mmCIF file with all atom_site columns, all heavy atoms in Angstrom:
data_model
loop_
_atom_site.group_PDB
_atom_site.id
_atom_site.type_symbol
_atom_site.label_atom_id
_atom_site.label_alt_id
_atom_site.label_comp_id
_atom_site.label_asym_id
_atom_site.label_entity_id
_atom_site.label_seq_id
_atom_site.pdbx_PDB_ins_code
_atom_site.Cartn_x
_atom_site.Cartn_y
_atom_site.Cartn_z
_atom_site.occupancy
_atom_site.B_iso_or_equiv
_atom_site.pdbx_formal_charge
_atom_site.auth_seq_id
_atom_site.auth_comp_id
_atom_site.auth_asym_id
_atom_site.auth_atom_id
_atom_site.pdbx_PDB_model_num
ATOM 1   N N   . LEU A 1 1  ? 0.836   -1.189 0.000  1.00 65.00 ? 773 LEU A N   1
ATOM 2   C CA  . LEU A 1 1  ? 0.000   0.000  0.000  1.00 65.00 ? 773 LEU A CA  1
ATOM 3   C C   . LEU A 1 1  ? 0.876   1.246  0.000  1.00 65.00 ? 773 LEU A C   1
ATOM 4   O O   . LEU A 1 1  ? 1.354   1.683  1.029  1.00 65.00 ? 773 LEU A O   1
ATOM 5   C CB  . LEU A 1 1  ? -0.918  0.012  1.221  1.00 65.00 ? 773 LEU A CB  1
ATOM 6   C CG  . LEU A 1 1  ? -1.943  -1.110 1.296  1.00 65.00 ? 773 LEU A CG  1
ATOM 7   C CD1 . LEU A 1 1  ? -2.790  -0.951 2.542  1.00 65.00 ? 773 LEU A CD1 1
ATOM 8   C CD2 . LEU A 1 1  ? -2.826  -1.109 0.072  1.00 65.00 ? 773 LEU A CD2 1
ATOM 9   N N   . LYS A 1 2  ? 1.081   1.830  -1.179 1.00 80.00 ? 774 LYS A N   1
ATOM 10  C CA  . LYS A 1 2  ? 1.912   3.019  -1.301 1.00 80.00 ? 774 LYS A CA  1
ATOM 11  C C   . LYS A 1 2  ? 1.175   4.040  -2.150 1.00 80.00 ? 774 LYS A C   1
ATOM 12  O O   . LYS A 1 2  ? 1.176   3.965  -3.375 1.00 80.00 ? 774 LYS A O   1
ATOM 13  C CB  . LYS A 1 2  ? 3.264   2.675  -1.921 1.00 80.00 ? 774 LYS A CB  1
ATOM 14  C CG  . LYS A 1 2  ? 4.206   3.870  -2.012 1.00 80.00 ? 774 LYS A CG  1
ATOM 15  C CD  . LYS A 1 2  ? 5.560   3.469  -2.570 1.00 80.00 ? 774 LYS A CD  1
ATOM 16  C CE  . LYS A 1 2  ? 6.474   4.678  -2.685 1.00 80.00 ? 774 LYS A CE  1
ATOM 17  N NZ  . LYS A 1 2  ? 7.801   4.301  -3.219 1.00 80.00 ? 774 LYS A NZ  1
ATOM 18  N N   . PRO A 1 3  ? 0.530   5.031  -1.533 1.00 84.00 ? 775 PRO A N   1
ATOM 19  C CA  . PRO A 1 3  ? -0.174  6.056  -2.302 1.00 84.00 ? 775 PRO A CA  1
ATOM 20  C C   . PRO A 1 3  ? 0.788   6.817  -3.199 1.00 84.00 ? 775 PRO A C   1
ATOM 21  O O   . PRO A 1 3  ? 1.963   7.015  -2.860 1.00 84.00 ? 775 PRO A O   1
ATOM 22  C CB  . PRO A 1 3  ? -0.754  6.975  -1.223 1.00 84.00 ? 775 PRO A CB  1
ATOM 23  C CG  . PRO A 1 3  ? -0.765  6.149  0.017  1.00 84.00 ? 775 PRO A CG  1
ATOM 24  C CD  . PRO A 1 3  ? 0.392   5.222  -0.087 1.00 84.00 ? 775 PRO A CD  1
ATOM 25  N N   . GLN A 1 4  ? 0.290   7.259  -4.341 1.00 86.00 ? 776 GLN A N   1
ATOM 26  C CA  . GLN A 1 4  ? 1.108   8.037  -5.247 1.00 86.00 ? 776 GLN A CA  1
ATOM 27  C C   . GLN A 1 4  ? 1.332   9.441  -4.693 1.00 86.00 ? 776 GLN A C   1
ATOM 28  O O   . GLN A 1 4  ? 0.453   10.020 -4.048 1.00 86.00 ? 776 GLN A O   1
ATOM 29  C CB  . GLN A 1 4  ? 0.447   8.131  -6.618 1.00 86.00 ? 776 GLN A CB  1
ATOM 30  C CG  . GLN A 1 4  ? 0.391   6.802  -7.361 1.00 86.00 ? 776 GLN A CG  1
ATOM 31  C CD  . GLN A 1 4  ? -0.216  6.952  -8.743 1.00 86.00 ? 776 GLN A CD  1
ATOM 32  O OE1 . GLN A 1 4  ? -0.757  7.987  -9.085 1.00 86.00 ? 776 GLN A OE1 1
ATOM 33  N NE2 . GLN A 1 4  ? -0.121  5.906  -9.529 1.00 86.00 ? 776 GLN A NE2 1
ATOM 34  N N   . VAL A 1 5  ? 2.498   9.991  -4.957 1.00 92.00 ? 777 VAL A N   1
ATOM 35  C CA  . VAL A 1 5  ? 2.801   11.354 -4.542 1.00 92.00 ? 777 VAL A CA  1
ATOM 36  C C   . VAL A 1 5  ? 1.804   12.315 -5.192 1.00 92.00 ? 777 VAL A C   1
ATOM 37  O O   . VAL A 1 5  ? 1.508   12.218 -6.386 1.00 92.00 ? 777 VAL A O   1
ATOM 38  C CB  . VAL A 1 5  ? 4.243   11.723 -4.945 1.00 92.00 ? 777 VAL A CB  1
ATOM 39  C CG1 . VAL A 1 5  ? 4.490   13.222 -4.764 1.00 92.00 ? 777 VAL A CG1 1
ATOM 40  C CG2 . VAL A 1 5  ? 5.239   10.918 -4.126 1.00 92.00 ? 777 VAL A CG2 1
ATOM 41  N N   . GLY A 1 6  ? 1.253   13.216 -4.401 1.00 90.00 ? 778 GLY A N   1
ATOM 42  C CA  . GLY A 1 6  ? 0.325   14.223 -4.900 1.00 90.00 ? 778 GLY A CA  1
ATOM 43  C C   . GLY A 1 6  ? -1.128  13.828 -4.832 1.00 90.00 ? 778 GLY A C   1
ATOM 44  O O   . GLY A 1 6  ? -2.006  14.685 -4.973 1.00 90.00 ? 778 GLY A O   1
ATOM 45  N N   . ASN A 1 7  ? -1.414  12.537 -4.628 1.00 86.00 ? 779 ASN A N   1
ATOM 46  C CA  . ASN A 1 7  ? -2.809  12.104 -4.510 1.00 86.00 ? 779 ASN A CA  1
ATOM 47  C C   . ASN A 1 7  ? -3.350  12.372 -3.111 1.00 86.00 ? 779 ASN A C   1
ATOM 48  O O   . ASN A 1 7  ? -2.630  12.250 -2.116 1.00 86.00 ? 779 ASN A O   1
ATOM 49  C CB  . ASN A 1 7  ? -2.937  10.606 -4.808 1.00 86.00 ? 779 ASN A CB  1
ATOM 50  C CG  . ASN A 1 7  ? -2.974  10.312 -6.285 1.00 86.00 ? 779 ASN A CG  1
ATOM 51  O OD1 . ASN A 1 7  ? -2.999  11.219 -7.119 1.00 86.00 ? 779 ASN A OD1 1
ATOM 52  N ND2 . ASN A 1 7  ? -2.962  9.035  -6.641 1.00 86.00 ? 779 ASN A ND2 1
ATOM 53  N N   . ASN A 1 8  ? -4.619  12.723 -3.034 1.00 85.00 ? 780 ASN A N   1
ATOM 54  C CA  . ASN A 1 8  ? -5.286  12.851 -1.747 1.00 85.00 ? 780 ASN A CA  1
ATOM 55  C C   . ASN A 1 8  ? -5.795  11.479 -1.333 1.00 85.00 ? 780 ASN A C   1
ATOM 56  O O   . ASN A 1 8  ? -6.601  10.872 -2.027 1.00 85.00 ? 780 ASN A O   1
ATOM 57  C CB  . ASN A 1 8  ? -6.454  13.838 -1.843 1.00 85.00 ? 780 ASN A CB  1
ATOM 58  C CG  . ASN A 1 8  ? -7.079  14.093 -0.493 1.00 85.00 ? 780 ASN A CG  1
ATOM 59  O OD1 . ASN A 1 8  ? -6.392  14.474 0.444  1.00 85.00 ? 780 ASN A OD1 1
ATOM 60  N ND2 . ASN A 1 8  ? -8.371  13.879 -0.390 1.00 85.00 ? 780 ASN A ND2 1
ATOM 61  N N   . VAL A 1 9  ? -5.302  10.951 -0.227 1.00 86.00 ? 781 VAL A N   1
ATOM 62  C CA  . VAL A 1 9  ? -5.662  9.599  0.209  1.00 86.00 ? 781 VAL A CA  1
ATOM 63  C C   . VAL A 1 9  ? -6.157  9.652  1.647  1.00 86.00 ? 781 VAL A C   1
ATOM 64  O O   . VAL A 1 9  ? -5.815  10.546 2.420  1.00 86.00 ? 781 VAL A O   1
ATOM 65  C CB  . VAL A 1 9  ? -4.467  8.624  0.099  1.00 86.00 ? 781 VAL A CB  1
ATOM 66  C CG1 . VAL A 1 9  ? -4.044  8.467  -1.332 1.00 86.00 ? 781 VAL A CG1 1
ATOM 67  C CG2 . VAL A 1 9  ? -3.305  9.095  0.962  1.00 86.00 ? 781 VAL A CG2 1
ATOM 68  N N   . THR A 1 10 ? -6.981  8.679  1.993  1.00 86.00 ? 782 THR A N   1
ATOM 69  C CA  . THR A 1 10 ? -7.446  8.565  3.363  1.00 86.00 ? 782 THR A CA  1
ATOM 70  C C   . THR A 1 10 ? -6.864  7.277  3.948  1.00 86.00 ? 782 THR A C   1
ATOM 71  O O   . THR A 1 10 ? -5.957  6.697  3.373  1.00 86.00 ? 782 THR A O   1
ATOM 72  C CB  . THR A 1 10 ? -8.987  8.585  3.410  1.00 86.00 ? 782 THR A CB  1
ATOM 73  O OG1 . THR A 1 10 ? -9.402  8.565  4.779  1.00 86.00 ? 782 THR A OG1 1
ATOM 74  C CG2 . THR A 1 10 ? -9.603  7.434  2.657  1.00 86.00 ? 782 THR A CG2 1
ATOM 75  N N   . GLY A 1 11 ? -7.352  6.870  5.130  1.00 77.00 ? 783 GLY A N   1
ATOM 76  C CA  . GLY A 1 11 ? -6.872  5.623  5.702  1.00 77.00 ? 783 GLY A CA  1
ATOM 77  C C   . GLY A 1 11 ? -6.973  4.501  4.682  1.00 77.00 ? 783 GLY A C   1
ATOM 78  O O   . GLY A 1 11 ? -8.037  4.284  4.097  1.00 77.00 ? 783 GLY A O   1
ATOM 79  N N   . GLN A 1 12 ? -5.874  3.793  4.443  1.00 58.00 ? 784 GLN A N   1
ATOM 80  C CA  . GLN A 1 12 ? -5.849  2.828  3.345  1.00 58.00 ? 784 GLN A CA  1
ATOM 81  C C   . GLN A 1 12 ? -6.796  1.665  3.518  1.00 58.00 ? 784 GLN A C   1
ATOM 82  O O   . GLN A 1 12 ? -6.997  0.888  2.588  1.00 58.00 ? 784 GLN A O   1
ATOM 83  C CB  . GLN A 1 12 ? -4.418  2.298  3.141  1.00 58.00 ? 784 GLN A CB  1
ATOM 84  C CG  . GLN A 1 12 ? -3.482  3.314  2.507  1.00 58.00 ? 784 GLN A CG  1
ATOM 85  C CD  . GLN A 1 12 ? -2.659  4.036  3.542  1.00 58.00 ? 784 GLN A CD  1
ATOM 86  O OE1 . GLN A 1 12 ? -3.156  4.347  4.616  1.00 58.00 ? 784 GLN A OE1 1
ATOM 87  N NE2 . GLN A 1 12 ? -1.416  4.320  3.236  1.00 58.00 ? 784 GLN A NE2 1
ATOM 88  N N   . LEU A 1 13 ? -7.423  1.534  4.686  1.00 69.00 ? 785 LEU A N   1
ATOM 89  C CA  . LEU A 1 13 ? -8.369  0.453  4.894  1.00 69.00 ? 785 LEU A CA  1
ATOM 90  C C   . LEU A 1 13 ? -9.793  0.854  4.521  1.00 69.00 ? 785 LEU A C   1
ATOM 91  O O   . LEU A 1 13 ? -10.693 0.028  4.524  1.00 69.00 ? 785 LEU A O   1
ATOM 92  C CB  . LEU A 1 13 ? -8.333  -0.003 6.358  1.00 69.00 ? 785 LEU A CB  1
ATOM 93  C CG  . LEU A 1 13 ? -6.976  -0.521 6.837  1.00 69.00 ? 785 LEU A CG  1
ATOM 94  C CD1 . LEU A 1 13 ? -7.057  -0.934 8.291  1.00 69.00 ? 785 LEU A CD1 1
ATOM 95  C CD2 . LEU A 1 13 ? -6.490  -1.671 5.987  1.00 69.00 ? 785 LEU A CD2 1
ATOM 96  N N   . VAL A 1 14 ? -10.020 2.138  4.199  1.00 78.00 ? 786 VAL A N   1
ATOM 97  C CA  . VAL A 1 14 ? -11.354 2.613  3.857  1.00 78.00 ? 786 VAL A CA  1
ATOM 98  C C   . VAL A 1 14 ? -11.744 2.122  2.467  1.00 78.00 ? 786 VAL A C   1
ATOM 99  O O   . VAL A 1 14 ? -10.966 2.216  1.519  1.00 78.00 ? 786 VAL A O   1
ATOM 100 C CB  . VAL A 1 14 ? -11.427 4.146  3.910  1.00 78.00 ? 786 VAL A CB  1
ATOM 101 C CG1 . VAL A 1 14 ? -12.786 4.644  3.418  1.00 78.00 ? 786 VAL A CG1 1
ATOM 102 C CG2 . VAL A 1 14 ? -11.168 4.638  5.329  1.00 78.00 ? 786 VAL A CG2 1
ATOM 103 N N   . ILE A 1 15 ? -12.964 1.586  2.339  1.00 77.00 ? 787 ILE A N   1
ATOM 104 C CA  . ILE A 1 15 ? -13.459 1.084  1.063  1.00 77.00 ? 787 ILE A CA  1
ATOM 105 C C   . ILE A 1 15 ? -14.522 2.006  0.480  1.00 77.00 ? 787 ILE A C   1
ATOM 106 O O   . ILE A 1 15 ? -14.508 2.310  -0.708 1.00 77.00 ? 787 ILE A O   1
ATOM 107 C CB  . ILE A 1 15 ? -14.005 -0.343 1.222  1.00 77.00 ? 787 ILE A CB  1
ATOM 108 C CG1 . ILE A 1 15 ? -12.856 -1.291 1.597  1.00 77.00 ? 787 ILE A CG1 1
ATOM 109 C CG2 . ILE A 1 15 ? -14.689 -0.814 -0.064 1.00 77.00 ? 787 ILE A CG2 1
ATOM 110 C CD1 . ILE A 1 15 ? -13.309 -2.694 1.927  1.00 77.00 ? 787 ILE A CD1 1
ATOM 111 N N   . SER A 1 16 ? -15.472 2.468  1.280  1.00 84.00 ? 788 SER A N   1
ATOM 112 C CA  . SER A 1 16 ? -16.524 3.345  0.773  1.00 84.00 ? 788 SER A CA  1
ATOM 113 C C   . SER A 1 16 ? -16.947 4.317  1.866  1.00 84.00 ? 788 SER A C   1
ATOM 114 O O   . SER A 1 16 ? -16.589 4.162  3.031  1.00 84.00 ? 788 SER A O   1
ATOM 115 C CB  . SER A 1 16 ? -17.727 2.528  0.288  1.00 84.00 ? 788 SER A CB  1
ATOM 116 O OG  . SER A 1 16 ? -18.289 1.773  1.348  1.00 84.00 ? 788 SER A OG  1
ATOM 117 N N   . ARG A 1 17 ? -17.734 5.341  1.471  1.00 89.00 ? 789 ARG A N   1
ATOM 118 C CA  . ARG A 1 17 ? -18.080 6.390  2.413  1.00 89.00 ? 789 ARG A CA  1
ATOM 119 C C   . ARG A 1 17 ? -19.583 6.650  2.443  1.00 89.00 ? 789 ARG A C   1
ATOM 120 O O   . ARG A 1 17 ? -20.342 6.310  1.548  1.00 89.00 ? 789 ARG A O   1
ATOM 121 C CB  . ARG A 1 17 ? -17.339 7.673  2.070  1.00 89.00 ? 789 ARG A CB  1
ATOM 122 C CG  . ARG A 1 17 ? -17.667 8.273  0.691  1.00 89.00 ? 789 ARG A CG  1
ATOM 123 C CD  . ARG A 1 17 ? -18.754 9.308  0.775  1.00 89.00 ? 789 ARG A CD  1
ATOM 124 N NE  . ARG A 1 17 ? -19.040 9.940  -0.496 1.00 89.00 ? 789 ARG A NE  1
ATOM 125 C CZ  . ARG A 1 17 ? -20.123 10.655 -0.744 1.00 89.00 ? 789 ARG A CZ  1
ATOM 126 N NH1 . ARG A 1 17 ? -21.036 10.811 0.195  1.00 89.00 ? 789 ARG A NH1 1
ATOM 127 N NH2 . ARG A 1 17 ? -20.324 11.206 -1.924 1.00 89.00 ? 789 ARG A NH2 1
ATOM 128 N N   . THR A 1 18 ? -20.009 7.319  3.547  1.00 93.00 ? 790 THR A N   1
ATOM 129 C CA  . THR A 1 18 ? -21.355 7.819  3.698  1.00 93.00 ? 790 THR A CA  1
ATOM 130 C C   . THR A 1 18 ? -21.234 9.187  4.343  1.00 93.00 ? 790 THR A C   1
ATOM 131 O O   . THR A 1 18 ? -20.168 9.821  4.279  1.00 93.00 ? 790 THR A O   1
ATOM 132 C CB  . THR A 1 18 ? -22.220 6.856  4.540  1.00 93.00 ? 790 THR A CB  1
ATOM 133 O OG1 . THR A 1 18 ? -23.562 7.314  4.580  1.00 93.00 ? 790 THR A OG1 1
ATOM 134 C CG2 . THR A 1 18 ? -21.681 6.683  5.948  1.00 93.00 ? 790 THR A CG2 1
ATOM 135 N N   . THR A 1 19 ? -22.297 9.700  4.951  1.00 95.00 ? 791 THR A N   1
ATOM 136 C CA  . THR A 1 19 ? -22.215 10.953 5.689  1.00 95.00 ? 791 THR A CA  1
ATOM 137 C C   . THR A 1 19 ? -22.883 10.770 7.043  1.00 95.00 ? 791 THR A C   1
ATOM 138 O O   . THR A 1 19 ? -23.747 9.911  7.215  1.00 95.00 ? 791 THR A O   1
ATOM 139 C CB  . THR A 1 19 ? -22.915 12.108 4.939  1.00 95.00 ? 791 THR A CB  1
ATOM 140 O OG1 . THR A 1 19 ? -24.297 11.761 4.733  1.00 95.00 ? 791 THR A OG1 1
ATOM 141 C CG2 . THR A 1 19 ? -22.251 12.365 3.608  1.00 95.00 ? 791 THR A CG2 1
ATOM 142 N N   . GLY A 1 20 ? -22.459 11.563 8.014  1.00 95.00 ? 792 GLY A N   1
ATOM 143 C CA  . GLY A 1 20 ? -23.064 11.451 9.327  1.00 95.00 ? 792 GLY A CA  1
ATOM 144 C C   . GLY A 1 20 ? -22.515 12.481 10.294 1.00 95.00 ? 792 GLY A C   1
ATOM 145 O O   . GLY A 1 20 ? -21.487 13.123 10.018 1.00 95.00 ? 792 GLY A O   1
ATOM 146 N N   . ALA A 1 21 ? -23.182 12.642 11.406 1.00 96.00 ? 793 ALA A N   1
ATOM 147 C CA  . ALA A 1 21 ? -22.747 13.571 12.449 1.00 96.00 ? 793 ALA A CA  1
ATOM 148 C C   . ALA A 1 21 ? -21.706 12.900 13.338 1.00 96.00 ? 793 ALA A C   1
ATOM 149 O O   . ALA A 1 21 ? -21.695 11.676 13.513 1.00 96.00 ? 793 ALA A O   1
ATOM 150 C CB  . ALA A 1 21 ? -23.931 14.026 13.281 1.00 96.00 ? 793 ALA A CB  1
ATOM 151 N N   . LEU A 1 22 ? -20.825 13.707 13.892 1.00 97.00 ? 794 LEU A N   1
ATOM 152 C CA  . LEU A 1 22 ? -19.840 13.236 14.856 1.00 97.00 ? 794 LEU A CA  1
ATOM 153 C C   . LEU A 1 22 ? -20.244 13.717 16.249 1.00 97.00 ? 794 LEU A C   1
ATOM 154 O O   . LEU A 1 22 ? -20.901 14.744 16.392 1.00 97.00 ? 794 LEU A O   1
ATOM 155 C CB  . LEU A 1 22 ? -18.452 13.772 14.503 1.00 97.00 ? 794 LEU A CB  1
ATOM 156 C CG  . LEU A 1 22 ? -17.925 13.422 13.105 1.00 97.00 ? 794 LEU A CG  1
ATOM 157 C CD1 . LEU A 1 22 ? -16.573 14.086 12.888 1.00 97.00 ? 794 LEU A CD1 1
ATOM 158 C CD2 . LEU A 1 22 ? -17.836 11.916 12.913 1.00 97.00 ? 794 LEU A CD2 1
ATOM 159 N N   . VAL A 1 23 ? -19.844 12.979 17.255 1.00 97.00 ? 795 VAL A N   1
ATOM 160 C CA  . VAL A 1 23 ? -20.139 13.366 18.631 1.00 97.00 ? 795 VAL A CA  1
ATOM 161 C C   . VAL A 1 23 ? -19.182 14.479 19.042 1.00 97.00 ? 795 VAL A C   1
ATOM 162 O O   . VAL A 1 23 ? -17.962 14.347 18.890 1.00 97.00 ? 795 VAL A O   1
ATOM 163 C CB  . VAL A 1 23 ? -20.005 12.163 19.583 1.00 97.00 ? 795 VAL A CB  1
ATOM 164 C CG1 . VAL A 1 23 ? -20.275 12.591 21.022 1.00 97.00 ? 795 VAL A CG1 1
ATOM 165 C CG2 . VAL A 1 23 ? -20.954 11.053 19.171 1.00 97.00 ? 795 VAL A CG2 1
ATOM 166 N N   . ALA A 1 24 ? -19.730 15.589 19.518 1.00 97.00 ? 796 ALA A N   1
ATOM 167 C CA  . ALA A 1 24 ? -18.885 16.695 19.953 1.00 97.00 ? 796 ALA A CA  1
ATOM 168 C C   . ALA A 1 24 ? -18.003 16.262 21.123 1.00 97.00 ? 796 ALA A C   1
ATOM 169 O O   . ALA A 1 24 ? -18.375 15.409 21.927 1.00 97.00 ? 796 ALA A O   1
ATOM 170 C CB  . ALA A 1 24 ? -19.741 17.888 20.352 1.00 97.00 ? 796 ALA A CB  1
ATOM 171 N N   . ASN A 1 25 ? -16.816 16.856 21.195 1.00 98.00 ? 797 ASN A N   1
ATOM 172 C CA  . ASN A 1 25 ? -15.876 16.590 22.287 1.00 98.00 ? 797 ASN A CA  1
ATOM 173 C C   . ASN A 1 25 ? -15.527 15.111 22.371 1.00 98.00 ? 797 ASN A C   1
ATOM 174 O O   . ASN A 1 25 ? -15.478 14.519 23.455 1.00 98.00 ? 797 ASN A O   1
ATOM 175 C CB  . ASN A 1 25 ? -16.443 17.101 23.613 1.00 98.00 ? 797 ASN A CB  1
ATOM 176 C CG  . ASN A 1 25 ? -16.694 18.599 23.591 1.00 98.00 ? 797 ASN A CG  1
ATOM 177 O OD1 . ASN A 1 25 ? -15.833 19.373 23.169 1.00 98.00 ? 797 ASN A OD1 1
ATOM 178 N ND2 . ASN A 1 25 ? -17.871 19.004 24.011 1.00 98.00 ? 797 ASN A ND2 1
ATOM 179 N N   . THR A 1 26 ? -15.294 14.534 21.198 1.00 98.00 ? 798 THR A N   1
ATOM 180 C CA  . THR A 1 26 ? -14.863 13.141 21.083 1.00 98.00 ? 798 THR A CA  1
ATOM 181 C C   . THR A 1 26 ? -13.700 13.091 20.104 1.00 98.00 ? 798 THR A C   1
ATOM 182 O O   . THR A 1 26 ? -13.789 13.610 18.992 1.00 98.00 ? 798 THR A O   1
ATOM 183 C CB  . THR A 1 26 ? -16.002 12.246 20.588 1.00 98.00 ? 798 THR A CB  1
ATOM 184 O OG1 . THR A 1 26 ? -17.063 12.265 21.547 1.00 98.00 ? 798 THR A OG1 1
ATOM 185 C CG2 . THR A 1 26 ? -15.536 10.818 20.374 1.00 98.00 ? 798 THR A CG2 1
#
């Protein structure tokens, strides 16, 4: 797992995304 230079990458274990609220002060 070696991201290319200049690419925006997230945690390499992430497969897909959704949306949601986060708990404040966490």
Side-chain angles (χ1 to χ4, degrees):
L773 296 181
K774 183 177 179 180
Q776 292 183 350
V777 169
N779 279 355
N780 186 55
V781 296
T782 184
Q784 287 97 322
L785 300 180
V786 174
I787 295 174
S788 61
R789 62 94 177 165
T790 185
T791 59
L794 302 177
V795 178
N797 299 313
T798 297

